[in-house]
Amino acid sequence: MRRRGVCLPEHRNARISKDRYFMNIAIEVSRRSTCTRRQIGAIVVSDVGEIKSTGYNGNPRGLPHCEEIGCIRDKLGIPSGTRLETCTAVHAEQNALIQAGTNARDSTLYSTIVPCPICARMILNAQVARVVYLGDYSDLTGVELLKQGGVKLTRLDKKEFADKLKD
């Protein structure tokens, strides 16, 4: 029941945490991915809770997407987490950082997967303060780099988002 625009406690919806809220958005961003192997989404959020940018994984602008031409990594039988240089796609975290520019400084980056070592180095150089992620990556070197660089890491429970994830 409402009175003068105020919601009474017994009818109030449970408010989700900021981390869950922003991760839900990152999951939605991942749906734009053109990668045929896995869809990843990332967002950069300022220290005051403003979304500065979003990014998803896929080939650079102007190149055909893997959903059109097939996955080179699949064709060559390259396992996940190895020989990253073979793939022409730009990672979701990279795209989000490129879009954010200097607005990434002191921000939180939300990613639907733990950043790879290459993305971790970019995150460090962008001076991101915190990374919140869901799933692990086959190479956890990125986590170690972020820890060494003083970036705070928060891993959310993937099970809490199962209804939103495609896997």
Side-chain angles (χ1 to χ4, degrees), residues 106-118:
D106 298 324
S107 68
T108 298
L109 185 138
Y110 290 83
S111 180
T112 58
I113 195 165
V114 68
C116 75
I118 296 167

Side-chain angles (χ1 to χ4, degrees), residues 18 21-26 29 42-55 96 100 103 107-108 110:
K18 282 186 179 183
Y21 170 72
F22 288 122
M23 188 57 73
N24 281 330
I25 294 170
V29 169
I43 64 172
V44 174
V45 178
S46 75
D47 57 347
V48 295
E50 296 172 341
I51 297 173
K52 295 299 178 177
S53 66
T54 65
N103 287 320
S107 68
T108 298
Y110 290 83

Side-chain angles (χ1 to χ4, degrees), residues 27-61:
I27 290 168
E28 196 60 33
V29 169
S30 76
R31 298 188 196 303
R32 290 283 304 150
S33 170
T34 59
C35 178
T36 57
R37 272 194 171 189
R38 70 177 5 154
Q39 288 65 50
I40 308 298
I43 64 172
V44 174
V45 178
S46 75
D47 57 347
V48 295
E50 296 172 341
I51 297 173
K52 295 299 178 177
S53 66
T54 65
Y56 51 88
N57 58 326
N59 275 344
R61 289 183 177 113

